[in-house]
Amino acid sequence: MLALDYAHDMERARKILTVFGTRPEAIKLFPLLHRLAHDARFDSRILVTGQHRGMLDQVLQLADIVPDHDLALMQTGQTLDQLTARALTGIGEILDRERPDWMVVQGDTTSAFAAALAAYYRQIPVCHVEAGLRSGDIYHPWPEEVNRRALGALASLHCAPTQAAATGLLQGGTSAHRVHVTGNTVIDALHWVTRRIWGEPALATMMRPLERRFAGKRIIAVTCHRRENWGAGAEEIAKSVKNIAKRNDISVIFPLHLNPQVRNVMMAQLDGLDNVALIEPLDYPNFARLLNISHLVLTDSGGVQEEAPALGKPVLVMRETTERPEGVKAGTAVLVGARQQRIVAECNRLLDDDLAYRRMARAHNPYGDGQAAGRIVELLAQSAEARMTA
Ligand code: UD1
Ligand code: UDP
């Protein structure tokens, strides 16, 4: 934990247990964890499931977060049933020991879903950060769409990142007093990391050798990991990148997710190509730098869909649907699915049509003002108070 610079009033402090397990959750929760750690109204505890390991630890280290509990659940090749079952029982045991006043979870992963379920079984109220996102299709993204819907049913406090997400929750019957538009904490995280890089440029120098190697070429950043894209979808994405990489005016930088299901397909198709750099997952400052130097972004990620528009980078979303329509509506994101023909055609269009490119490359940030974490802390304070006096 961050060092506390004053003594907590443990008599009055409400115990908040924040539970997460993957890289994107850690990125989107560290701004909130920083605030909770410095707020005497709270006794903040952290449980990581360890659904991810290296990719999670990169963020914990950067943000100076030391978990109180770590279930170390990651196992290569485990099924969703195994992960869910192990997370549920592991989190339940910690809840019985910690007995928090509130649980905080973020997003739509199996860690978040299992944590909220374990809390519900103990009638511990749950605050859901990034609430209300819906694609409308239970298999895209899979299993996240159902995780989110379940989290919507299990949570008592819904922190919606945008008005559209809040409206969706209200239309689905969630009580208005439980739904609040806070902005997305990903923008808080992006501001934080940008400030860190300004103060300490050495944090984000990993791209330099590639910038030299690809000098004079436009850089395309690529990320891919979605389960619904495993198999045929990942093959199509790999072939698309191979096809685009035939151009001599671009280069591709592709930090590979550590999931072997994705990694092996990409390595088989793309390893050794002259203008494709397949690299290890970047830590957050270096990934932010990669986005900044990129001309265009190809991704099936959720978080990258939010960050690219904030940085004015056109993003081609390699999915059939998105629960983040704001970027598409704003004109900085286009849904291209996971099929080679469409991905390559859209990519070439943006590379060859300067006007089309410039229309998309306007910095637009529909996801918040970088103050989301502060709003969530105040909501937690009010909700904890209300519960104490109920
Ligand atoms: C998970 C989340 C997804 C989220 C994504 C972010 C679920 C069901 N899926 O994806 O919502 O968008 O994380 O990246 O919750 N691995 C490592 N080291 C790591 C991380 C992963 O080696 O640090 C490998 C392991 O073999 C692991 C595998 O990748 O078993 C898959 O990890 P998993 O958490 O299941 O990832 P996804 O389901 O792909
Ligand atoms: N990211 C990172 N290093 C990388 C790739 C991504 O730090 O090599 C960050 C990215 O900035 C975003 C988050 O990881 O904040 C997205 O994670 P991911 O795509 O794994 O998950 P999703 O957002 O799809 O749930």
Side-chain angles (χ1 to χ4, degrees):
M1 285 280 285
L2 292 170
L4 295 181
D5 51 11
Y6 52 80
H8 270 307
D9 173 357
M10 300 306 283
E11 286 294 305
R12 291 176 48 247
R14 310 286 182 260
K15 191 189 272 193
I16 310 284
L17 183 71
T18 304
V19 186
F20 56 100
T22 66
R23 168 175 67 191
E25 293 166 278
I27 289 173
K28 289 173 171 179
L29 284 169
F30 78 66
L32 181 63
L33 293 172
H34 286 172
R35 283 181 181 265
L36 287 173
H38 288 90
D39 191 324
R41 293 171 294 178
F42 301 106
D43 171 14
S44 170
R45 305 286 168 97
I46 298 168
L47 161 57
V48 296
T49 63
Q51 179 177 335
H52 284 177
R53 190 71 281 160
M55 286 161 48
L56 173 71
D57 293 344
Q58 275 182 334
V59 188
L60 297 178
Q61 197 185 352
L62 171 77
D64 200 11
I65 305 277
V66 180
D68 300 285
H69 307 277
D70 188 336
L71 298 176
L73 291 184
M74 195 187 83
Q75 276 177 13
T76 297
Q78 71 184 326
T79 61
L80 283 176
D81 317 48
Q82 289 164 338
L83 174 62
T84 309
R86 293 170 69 223
L88 185 63
T89 46
I91 294 164
E93 282 166 22
I94 305 289
L95 281 177
D96 290 337
R97 296 219 298 271
E98 288 281 8
R99 307 187 71 77
D101 297 302
W102 276 83
M103 175 188 281
V104 174
V105 292
Q106 193 281 337
D108 51 23
T109 67
T110 292
S111 290
F113 163 61
L117 188 58
Y120 168 70
Y121 286 160
R122 290 160 181 80
Q123 299 190 12
I124 295 166
V126 172
C127 166
H128 186 205
V129 175
E130 199 183 78
L133 275 61
R134 301 286 184 271
S135 71
D137 178 343
I138 61 166
Y139 293 110
H140 291 94
W142 173 77
E144 290 82 359
E145 178 72 2
V146 164
N147 285 347
R148 298 179 187 128
R149 294 187 195 186
L151 278 154
L154 296 167
S156 298
L157 178 59
H158 307 259
C159 299
T162 63
Q163 186 56 54
T167 303
L169 284 167
L170 297 174
Q171 285 170 350
T174 309
S175 307
H177 72 280
R178 299 190 182 283
V179 179
H180 302 270
V181 180
T182 57
N184 196 314
T185 54
V186 76
I187 304 298
D188 304 34
L190 204 53
H191 287 185
W192 183 90
V193 82
T194 305
R195 282 197 303 275
R196 280 296 304 271
I197 297 169
W198 269 99
E200 200 181 337
L203 279 177
T205 52
M206 284 178 74
M207 288 299 97
R208 280 189 192 160
L210 289 175
E211 286 181 68
R212 278 195 293 275
R213 176 175 151 195
F214 296 139
K217 295 186 176 197
R218 291 175 289 179
I219 290 172
I220 301 178
V222 184
T223 79
C224 168
H225 71 79
R226 299 239 71 87
R227 276 176 186 256
E228 67 275 12
N229 280 341
W230 289 4
E235 284 282 348
E236 287 282 313
I237 289 169
K239 286 180 185 157
S240 309
V241 174
K242 193 172 186 174
N243 195 329
I244 295 158
K246 286 183 191 149
R247 294 180 64 122
N248 59 15
D249 58 346
I250 63 104
S251 57
V252 172
I253 301 182
F254 190 164
L256 290 176
H257 198 282
L258 290 177
N259 191 337
Q261 294 278 354
V262 178
R263 206 176 171 81
N264 296 343
V265 175
M266 300 305 159
M267 296 286 282
Q269 292 283 347
L270 302 170
D271 199 24
L273 295 184
D274 269 357
N275 54 347
V276 177
L278 294 180
I279 58 174
E280 294 303 318
L282 292 166
D283 63 13
Y284 196 39
N286 283 292
F287 189 74
R289 173 72 190 158
L290 171 59
L291 289 180
N292 269 303
I293 62 170
S294 295
H295 184 71
L296 188 62
V297 181
L298 262 61
T299 191
D300 64 4
S301 159
V304 179
Q305 272 181 76
E306 295 156 342
E307 292 160 339
L311 298 170
K313 302 295 174 176
V315 55
L316 300 183
V317 181
M318 300 185 291
R319 298 192 191 181
E320 304 302 326
T321 59
T322 182
E323 61 290 332
R324 293 167 170 90
E326 294 88 349
V328 178
K329 213 168 150 196
T332 46
V334 176
L335 272 180
V336 292
R339 290 200 192 83
Q340 195 184 165
Q341 199 184 7
R342 178 89 203 276
I343 297 170
V344 174
E346 275 298 324
C347 201
N348 282 330
R349 189 175 74 86
L350 287 178
L351 291 169
D352 294 330
D353 180 345
D354 203 39
L355 194 63
Y357 178 84
R358 276 191 280 123
R359 255 192 249 117
M360 279 187 81
R362 283 172 313 200
H364 183 88
N365 168 22
Y367 298 109
D369 59 1
Q371 303 296 324
R375 291 188 192 100
I376 295 167
V377 165
E378 290 316 310
L379 288 168
L380 275 172
Q382 288 160 21
S383 305
E385 203 59 53
R387 189 173 155 82
M388 294 297 286
T389 55

